[in-house]
Amino acid sequence: MTVKHVLFILTNAAEIGPNKRATGYFYPEVAHPFEVLDAAGIAVEYASPLGGNPPFDGYDETDPVQRAFSQSAAIRRMAHSRKLSEVDVLDYDAIFFPGGLGPMVDIANDPDVKRAVLRAWNAGKIVSAVCHGPVALLGVTLEDGTPLVKGRRLTSFSNAEEEGYAKADVPFMLEDALRAAGADYSSTDPWQSKVVVDGRLITGQNPGSGTAIGEALVEALQGVTR
């Protein structure tokens, strides 16, 4: 059996906004998808725009999944994430962007991120993201000039969630930006799990969607139709 590989592309941003709020990737949005993928025998590797050890936020030691990940070989490998410009996404079956506020700083605009998304998409790979991770999709334009997200069903951290969480810190509202780019955006109640699968595009709404997006990735990689 051929082992499937997923590339997690993480933020390097440790702070955001005028108040210099501490941030990074949101810990459960890595730990929970990883647990599901690992249990299914799917390999996970790590990259980031700058390489190295990505900063994190939101660690909860009372969550056994997060605690297990914090003690794993996987997080030691993440501490040496590869520089994205030196990685070919065609070596992977899927790419995945965890959220946290950090992606709103660097993943939002990084040209290597946009090239990676387009290269993966054009090669028939799975492109996935959760929470603020779908900001990676913004600014990606197909050969015919249309935005990648135009007309595609997806979700992300919602305006309702941002209002009570980080509206003063983020440079823009992600839901609004995705809608403006033509995405067929939908969401559920704040902080409740939601995953949208539109062909090879798989998105999750918030931290509570981490396990579900891992499950959706496993199904897609194993060829299970939903």
Side-chain angles (χ1 to χ4, degrees), residues 3-135:
V3 175
K4 300 290 188 178
H5 289 75
V6 179
L7 181 67
F8 281 33
I9 302 175
L10 299 136
T11 179
N12 295 113
E15 64 177 37
I16 186 171
N19 298 314
K20 299 189 182 304
R21 177 172 174 166
T23 188
Y25 70 85
F26 206 66
Y27 207 90
E29 294 172 19
V30 170
H32 283 259
F34 173 83
E35 180 199 38
V36 176
L37 293 166
D38 188 55
I42 295 167
V44 174
E45 296 181 10
Y46 306 94
S48 57
L50 302 178
N53 193 7
F56 65 86
D57 185 21
Y59 175 66
D60 179 2
E61 65 178 8
T62 68
D63 176 0
V65 174
Q66 294 183 54
R67 193 166 62 249
F69 186 73
S70 74
Q71 299 165 358
S72 69
I75 197 167
R76 293 199 295 273
R77 291 194 299 273
M78 188 201 295
H80 306 283
S81 72
R82 297 171 65 193
K83 190 173 181 181
L84 183 57
S85 63
E86 298 171 358
V87 176
D88 189 345
V89 294
L90 299 195
D91 294 339
Y92 301 87
D93 301 286
I95 59 174
F96 172 63
F97 293 91
L101 293 176
M104 298 292 285
V105 177
D106 56 356
I107 300 297
N109 302 300
D110 187 90
D112 292 321
V113 166
K114 308 307 169 182
R115 281 191 286 268
V117 171
L118 184 61
R119 183 165 170 79
W121 186 260
N122 285 342
K125 307 295 185 178
I126 295 165
V127 174
S128 56
V130 68
C131 198
H132 289 90
V135 74

Side-chain angles (χ1 to χ4, degrees), residues 99-185:
L101 293 176
M104 298 292 285
V105 177
D106 56 356
I107 300 297
N109 302 300
D110 187 90
D112 292 321
V113 166
K114 308 307 169 182
R115 281 191 286 268
V117 171
L118 184 61
R119 183 165 170 79
W121 186 260
N122 285 342
K125 307 295 185 178
I126 295 165
V127 174
S128 56
V130 68
C131 198
H132 289 90
V135 74
L137 307 173
L138 290 173
V140 178
T141 304
L142 302 177
E143 286 183 7
D144 63 3
T146 61
L148 172 62
V149 300
K150 186 175 181 180
R152 299 195 186 278
R153 295 183 294 108
L154 53 71
T155 189
S156 74
F157 205 60
S158 66
N159 285 351
E161 289 166 323
E162 203 74 271
E163 286 282 351
Y165 181 66
K167 187 176 181 181
D169 302 295
V170 293
F172 56 88
M173 301 290 270
L174 182 53
E175 175 185 335
D176 288 346
L178 289 166
R179 289 184 183 276
D184 181 3
Y185 178 93

